[in-house]
Amino acid sequence: MTKSEIIDILSRKQSHLSGRDVELSVKILLEQMSDTLSSGSRIEIRGFGSFSLHYRAARRGRNPKTGETVDLSPKYVPHFKPGKALRDRVDASKETFPITEQ
Amino acid sequence: MTLTKAEMVEHLFDELGLNKREAKELVEMFFEEVRGALERGEGVKLSGFGNFTLRDKKQRPGRNPKSGEAIPVSARRVVTFRPGQKLKQRVENYAGTVE
């Protein structure tokens, strides 16, 4: 499932809103989530999960093509921890639905 | 400050002028669609943000960390999130301390 498929489904279910408003809403929502993480804050959505940043220390890496060593500076990476409801619902479906569209 | 559904609703109200009830419904429905897809075994791709993927894990040996007793970790299906290039780049550039 993609962002545009979600927008289509929500537009159908929220027929009193224009398709454009639904599309903008989803884009604004994801933009707000990205802004939050890139300013060092967390996201917590009950029943879904939480997003936070994990620290990666500086390390000496290698350019896989040239073999040259490169010094990589410390950085943060986004991390998602599924909430209990999502974990349980996904796990409960493992016998019923094969994994598709990965 | 931590972002929750309440701030998302407020933000949609401010930015788009949706009323609070509409905005709340939309935010709830968005996450419900993502959950629903994952629950049907479907991965979810949100371009610019990241992808949610599913993985089936086999049973593996585990241990009760308190008692040291060996108990197997049962087979399970888990959700993983892979941030997209754009989000990774933006987060990487963050130089402060995390909340």
Side-chain angles (χ1 to χ4, degrees):
Chain A
M1 177 135 98
T2 62
K3 180 162 67 183
S4 54
E5 284 167 346
I6 294 180
I7 291 169
D8 288 346
I9 296 168
L10 295 185
S11 301
R12 257 180 279 132
K13 291 189 176 171
Q14 294 286 65
S15 51
H16 57 285
L17 291 178
S18 71
R20 193 183 130 73
D21 274 354
V22 172
E23 184 178 354
L24 273 173
S25 299
V26 169
K27 289 187 172 163
I28 289 172
L29 191 61
L30 290 170
E31 191 56 33
Q32 188 186 19
M33 291 170 71
S34 297
D35 285 346
T36 298
L37 290 172
S38 46
S39 62
S41 292
R42 296 167 51 81
I43 306 171
E44 287 177 11
I45 303 142
R46 191 168 287 267
F48 185 79
S50 58
F51 295 87
S52 58
L53 299 188
H54 279 189
Y55 183 70
R56 295 282 177 265
R59 63 187 178 91
R60 184 150 291 173
R62 220 171 250 285
N63 179 326
K65 268 192 198 133
T66 62
E68 205 181 342
T69 46
V70 270
D71 284 325
L72 299 168
S73 25
K75 62 172 183 180
Y76 287 103
V77 293
H79 178 76
F80 174 66
K81 184 170 189 275
K84 186 166 167 31
L86 180 59
R87 276 205 313 270
D88 290 350
R89 282 172 59 173
V90 160
D91 186 53
S93 70
K94 66 179 184 293
E95 313 295 345
T96 335
F97 294 96
I99 295 174
T100 57
E101 286 183 42
Q102 289 296 300
Chain B
M1 196 182 74
T2 303
L3 176 65
T4 65
K5 281 192 284 195
E7 284 80 36
M8 295 175 182
V9 169
E10 197 63 39
H11 191 60
L12 286 181
F13 169 77
D14 290 341
E15 293 280 305
L16 261 186
L18 296 188
N19 72 45
K20 297 274 172 79
R21 188 183 48 80
E22 290 170 336
K24 185 165 189 281
E25 264 180 31
L26 211 64
V27 170
E28 302 273 0
M29 284 173 76
F30 174 78
F31 290 106
E32 186 51 36
E33 286 306 324
V34 175
R35 250 192 318 251
L38 293 168
E39 202 179 4
R40 293 188 305 271
E42 267 182 61
V44 177
K45 294 181 176 173
L46 304 172
S47 67
F49 187 73
N51 299 342
F52 294 93
T53 57
L54 295 164
R55 294 171 70 177
D56 282 328
K57 306 267 210 175
K58 286 189 195 141
Q59 180 183 311
R60 61 184 168 86
R63 210 168 266 288
N64 178 326
K66 272 202 194 120
S67 64
E69 190 192 352
I71 18 169
V73 178
S74 57
R76 59 191 63 194
R77 178 171 290 180
V78 296
V79 180
T80 54
F81 174 68
R82 303 200 48 177
Q85 200 51 47
K86 196 171 147 197
L87 178 62
K88 267 204 287 203
Q89 200 68 57
R90 289 188 60 186
V91 163
E92 219 169 280
N93 294 336
Y94 173 70
T97 49
V98 293
E99 189 183 299

